[in-house]
Amino acid sequence: MAAQFGRRLRKGATTTAVAAVAVAALSASQAPGVAPAATGGDAQASGSTPPSGSSATGNSPYFTDLPPLNSPNKPGASPHLPAVGPAEAGIPATVLAAYKQAEQTVAASDPGCRIPWQLLAAIGKVESGQARGGRVDANGTTFSPILGPVLNGVGFANISDTDNGAYDGDRTHDRAVGPMQFIPSTWATWGQDANSDGRKDPNNIYDAALAAAKYLCAGGRDLSVKEDLDKAILSYNRSREYLRTVLSWFEYYKRGTHQVPDGTGVLPAERSDSGSPGAGTTPAAPGATPGPSPSPITPTAPGGSTGGPSPAPSNPGTGGPSPAPSTPTTPPPTPTPPPAATVFGIENAGGGRPTATAGEDFAVLPKVRAKSRSGQSVVGADLAFEIVGGTDARFSGNRTTAVVRTGAGGVAVAPALKAGEKTGDFTIRVTVVGRALPRLDYAATVTPRQADALARTGDKELTTAPSSEFADQIEVKATFKGEAASGVAVTATMLTAADDPAENTLGPYFHDAEGKPVRTLTELKTGADGLLVLPKIFSDDQSGTFLLRLTTEGGATLTIELKVAAPEAPPA
């Protein structure tokens, strides 16, 4: 079970032989920015009373949905890697996509955290075996809930229900839920809707991965710093054994992974989910001989189909992971090499001044080159692009920041950028992630929406009597290059004369918000179809022919005649 876990211990043949099982549920009361001491959490005997003032889980001796994964010392390896076969490098496609999406999302919203997706993969491996080998549907939701044990105080913490059974199906006590094993009260704080389906679902790998990423980054942590990395993992589970296990898988995945089909991920033997989820056999302590492994349970997809073939368990008694599935897999790709040199500075690589009309995409985007001290291009450097200033322009995904890695020639191009409705200038600022180097600022501009033509939609003469109102409201249509121009600002002014643009102080007028006469309106905009209906127009006691002029950004103008005359007297 996941974040903010304690450990379940198993007593061996002697009083000193104990095995810590990396486990349990994300704490609701453990402040995410306050990591446990670097020494980790001391092991507690199963069923012991949690110390006063501990986390909401009470550092309960939880266990994970699966048996603990071994991370023995591997001769010559530093840091230690799991003693597993190459099949373990395969991560189910949807699960892998969720981890990478979470990394990208947090890189944009919190670039200083620098969370690698491999860390999420390591935690997901320990907590649920990558969502039980990738038993998820097309949207990333597990075919059946992944539930931890009932937290009823019998061998575990006593946590009364906090979600009315909404997530864990238990209205009496809480249970950890989902591939990243959140308890409901913590999910209420950290839950995310990463797949934009309108729900924050702990059983959805996209939602759960992003929630875990944000939790690990809390408190301003920089996970590229070893101390912060350790604190983040320990905040997820107060256990040094858990820390070592996660770090071993983290290093393993950093050395290369590959994608496998959903439902074909490798799971460890001695499954602990036989029977009710989370309630199974206790894994053997190191050196102990485990009994026969129960057959893995293959969750059933809606409609009765299975969520994918069940991987074959390893030979009873090995205690190791199951062998590779029969489905052929793609060989692991060659890891991307690190940057050839350290970034010493950044410079403009071309692209021109970014300019766009309100509501439109920027056709020109900043291009930035990272260079070394000797002036050579640096490939693989992370550059942060940030929108600065009073604008509602946004990068794709409605973001104000984004991290882009330099490619060929050491060049990074800003992500797709769309102008909002606020016009004027703003700044696109570029910095080198993790380096205190001079920044690079680009001036960008959002121009008003334009129209090059205005026309009335009707041709009826506009007349009224003195001290009255015009019965017909004026409707006009704005176009730009022959297409309807939406969102175009229009100014309406009662003119003194055709050759005198000054505002007329006599004749027809509009009402302002307080009902007072005004003869100029500036807060007018065309609708989605380019149409604009003017407010009602009133006349004073002056008779004659008056002029109303409409103007737009882009140079479109339209002059309309308004006639005010007393009705003709009927013939005698």
Side-chain angles (χ1 to χ4, degrees), residues 31-276:
V34 182
T39 56
D42 292 334
Q44 299 175 28
S46 178
S48 62
T49 302
S52 176
S54 62
S55 68
T57 63
N59 284 333
S60 183
Y62 298 140
F63 50 65
T64 54
D65 178 67
L66 299 176
L69 302 176
N70 296 325
S71 55
N73 295 350
K74 191 175 183 180
S78 178
H80 304 310
L81 298 180
V84 296
E88 291 285 357
I91 300 178
T94 299
V95 178
L96 180 60
Y99 295 149
K100 291 185 175 181
Q101 177 177 296
E103 177 195 58
Q104 294 169 359
T105 300
V106 173
S109 62
D110 186 8
C113 176
R114 285 180 273 276
I115 185 169
W117 66 261
Q118 291 92 341
L119 176 59
L120 298 173
I123 292 175
K125 179 71 171 179
V126 173
E127 297 308 331
S128 67
Q130 312 297 18
R132 289 181 176 162
R135 267 70 169 180
V136 296
D137 63 21
N139 294 319
T141 303
T142 58
F143 288 126
S144 61
I146 299 177
L147 299 175
V150 178
L151 305 180
N152 57 6
V154 180
F156 305 100
N158 189 349
I159 301 180
S160 297
D161 174 61
T162 60
D163 65 333
N164 198 29
Y167 295 120
D168 55 16
D170 192 327
R171 297 188 179 185
T172 305
H173 296 92
D174 270 345
R175 304 174 70 169
V177 182
M180 304 304 277
Q181 289 286 276
F182 284 89
I183 59 172
S185 56
T186 304
W187 183 257
T189 300
W190 292 93
Q192 303 291 319
D193 178 16
N195 63 348
S196 301
D197 65 353
R199 298 180 61 221
K200 297 178 180 181
D201 184 358
N203 282 301
N204 181 277
I205 185 59
Y206 288 100
D207 294 357
L210 181 57
K214 287 181 175 289
Y215 181 86
L216 292 165
C217 287
R221 296 189 185 106
D222 180 352
L223 301 187
S224 66
V225 176
K226 183 62 166 65
E227 182 181 2
D228 279 3
L229 175 64
D230 288 356
K231 286 181 178 179
I233 297 171
L234 286 169
S235 78
Y236 210 84
N237 184 333
R238 293 172 180 265
S239 163
R240 297 301 291 186
E241 179 68 16
Y242 182 84
L243 174 65
R244 287 191 292 271
T245 304
V246 169
L247 286 176
S248 68
W249 284 101
F250 179 37
E251 292 299 326
Y252 180 81
Y253 285 135
K254 285 199 298 183
R255 281 162 169 73
T257 63
H258 60 277
Q259 177 179 297
V260 299
D262 288 345
T264 64
V266 175
L267 296 177
E270 285 194 277
R271 292 295 301 275
S272 64
D273 62 351
S274 178
S276 61

Side-chain angles (χ1 to χ4, degrees), residues 353-358 362 419 422-427 442-448:
R353 183 186 179 101
T355 303
T357 301
F362 283 78
K422 292 182 180 179
T423 60
D425 296 336
F426 66 97
T427 299
Y442 288 81
T445 302
V446 177
T447 60

Side-chain angles (χ1 to χ4, degrees), residues 413-425:
V413 181
L417 179 63
K418 186 171 185 176
E421 295 302 322
K422 292 182 180 179
T423 60
D425 296 336

Side-chain angles (χ1 to χ4, degrees), residues 477-506:
K477 183 172 184 178
T479 55
F480 184 70
K481 296 182 180 180
E483 300 293 331
S486 64
V488 174
V490 179
T491 299
T493 304
M494 300 295 178
L495 300 182
T496 299
D499 56 355
D500 185 355
E503 178 184 282
N504 197 342
T505 58
L506 300 173

